[in-house]
Amino acid sequence: MKTKSIAQAGMLCAVYGVMIFANTLTGLWVESLFPYLFAFPILICAIKQTPQVSLCALVAMFILTLMLGSLTTWLIAGSMLAAGWVFGWGIHQRIGLVWTAAFCFGVMTLLNYLEVSVLAAVFGYDMSMEKELFQWISPFLSWNGLLLILSGLMGFLESFALACMSIVVGLKVDKTLTVSNLGLRVGIHPWFSWLFTLLLPIWFLTLTGVISCPSGVKDLLVILIVVCFCALIAKGTTVLVRRGIKKHGPSIYTTLIILGAFIPGVNLIYAAVGWWSLLRHSFDSTRNHKA
């Protein structure tokens, strides 16, 4: 049985090697258009095999990346390998997928920020055109703060896509796995609404000059406000979807509600619904605790 596991891991390493070689032959098209393919072999291996076998396969794939890839491939394929192994290992150990996705979100955000800052400087890429395009945002946010927020957005999309892929692959590969084993349920803490309520007026006071603070502090305020705003949108979407299902059942209304959360302007309504829902939940919890 152990020999069979090693043989399967070796086949997946060979598949990954073919992907890296094809990426080099096609002028890095695979990493430009289909970077998630790099996570596919190690994801299957980590779900099916023991952590020791999958970790050995991960090291072998990293070595293939160093041998057959360039500097950008090392970063892109390497990050996909690491994220794929973490998701597969989490499913194998029955760790909640939300926690796994949160960890990968942090790693992906950091790597994306390094890619657009450090690597851009190493390769001599001039971002003067991008800075000129976003110069209107300079009174509110510094350039590094904007890069960090954009890197976080990209990290969220990458971790979300890998989480979806992990659900599909996990249910196919592991027949004992069910949706309840994935630990997909997560709640939004009421502190997000209180933090948003506190930070928003402080940020406006820094813009008007009433409160003076370094640019780094302003960037931190904006980043925290964006995080809280996204949490409020998520909570508002959940509340509206539940109301829609209760009133109309699973229908086109549910799909329209979910799509509305991604429309600028409309999602302000979702954030307001989420903000009020969390505040009300916080007050109800306080009253019940006193009672």
Side-chain angles (χ1 to χ4, degrees):
M1 187 68 179
K2 189 174 182 180
T3 306
K4 183 179 179 181
S5 299
I6 295 175
Q8 291 177 349
M11 291 178 61
L12 291 171
C13 289
V15 171
Y16 176 79
V18 171
M19 289 182 181
I20 290 292
F21 188 64
N23 178 62
T24 305
L25 287 180
T26 57
L28 310 182
W29 271 44
V30 177
E31 69 181 65
S32 300
L33 300 177
F34 311 105
Y36 304 107
L37 290 178
F38 293 128
F40 194 73
I42 192 61
L43 176 63
I44 297 175
C45 183
I47 293 175
K48 294 186 66 175
Q49 310 300 336
T50 61
Q52 292 81 6
V53 174
S54 63
L55 189 59
C56 291
L58 177 66
V59 173
M61 292 179 186
F62 268 124
I63 294 174
L64 286 172
T65 306
L66 295 175
M67 292 174 58
L68 302 175
S70 60
L71 184 60
T72 57
T73 306
W74 295 352
L75 184 64
I76 296 174
S79 62
M80 289 296 152
L81 275 177
W85 184 83
V86 170
F87 272 105
W89 176 80
I91 292 176
H92 185 84
Q93 300 294 116
R94 297 298 190 266
I95 297 176
L97 197 64
V98 174
W99 295 107
T100 308
F103 174 78
C104 288
F105 163 73
V107 174
M108 291 293 186
T109 299
L110 177 61
L111 290 175
N112 287 327
Y113 181 75
L114 292 176
E115 184 177 350
V116 297
S117 58
V118 177
L119 280 186
V122 169
F123 286 104
Y125 180 72
D126 187 11
M127 288 191 173
S128 57
M129 292 183 63
E130 286 82 357
K131 290 181 179 180
E132 185 178 352
L133 180 64
F134 289 99
Q135 64 179 353
W136 60 272
I137 209 171
S138 57
F140 312 99
L141 189 65
S142 69
W143 175 247
N144 286 327
L146 177 62
L147 288 182
L148 187 58
I149 290 178
L150 293 178
S151 300
L153 177 61
M154 179 61 75
F156 171 77
L157 294 175
E158 289 173 344
S159 58
F160 180 75
L162 286 169
C164 294
M165 186 173 71
S166 300
I167 294 172
V168 175
V169 174
L171 293 175
K172 290 291 184 181
V173 171
D174 191 348
K175 300 302 181 182
T176 64
L177 187 68
T178 60
V179 176
S180 59
N181 297 139
L182 294 171
L184 295 176
R185 296 187 63 183
V186 62
I188 305 298
H189 202 278
W191 274 109
F192 280 107
S193 61
W194 288 108
L195 189 62
F196 183 81
T197 306
L198 175 65
L199 294 180
L200 193 61
I202 295 177
W203 180 63
F204 276 116
L205 290 176
T206 60
L207 291 180
T208 56
V210 177
I211 298 177
S212 60
C213 58
S215 60
V217 177
K218 290 182 180 179
D219 293 344
L220 181 61
L221 285 174
V222 173
I223 292 171
L224 290 175
I225 289 172
V226 170
V227 171
C228 293
F229 183 72
C230 293
L232 295 180
I233 292 176
K235 181 62 179 180
T237 305
T238 304
V239 172
L240 293 175
V241 166
R242 287 177 180 174
R243 290 179 182 176
I245 292 176
K246 186 177 180 180
K247 187 175 182 180
H248 302 284
S251 62
I252 188 63
Y253 292 103
T254 306
T255 304
L256 293 177
I257 290 172
I258 296 174
L259 291 177
F262 297 94
I263 300 176
V266 178
N267 51 20
L268 293 175
I269 302 174
Y270 289 67
V273 172
W275 176 78
W276 174 246
S277 177
L278 289 175
L279 284 182
R280 187 176 61 181
H281 176 74
S282 179
F283 285 127
D284 291 342
S285 299
T286 304
R287 290 173 183 171
N288 294 332
H289 182 71
K290 290 181 179 180

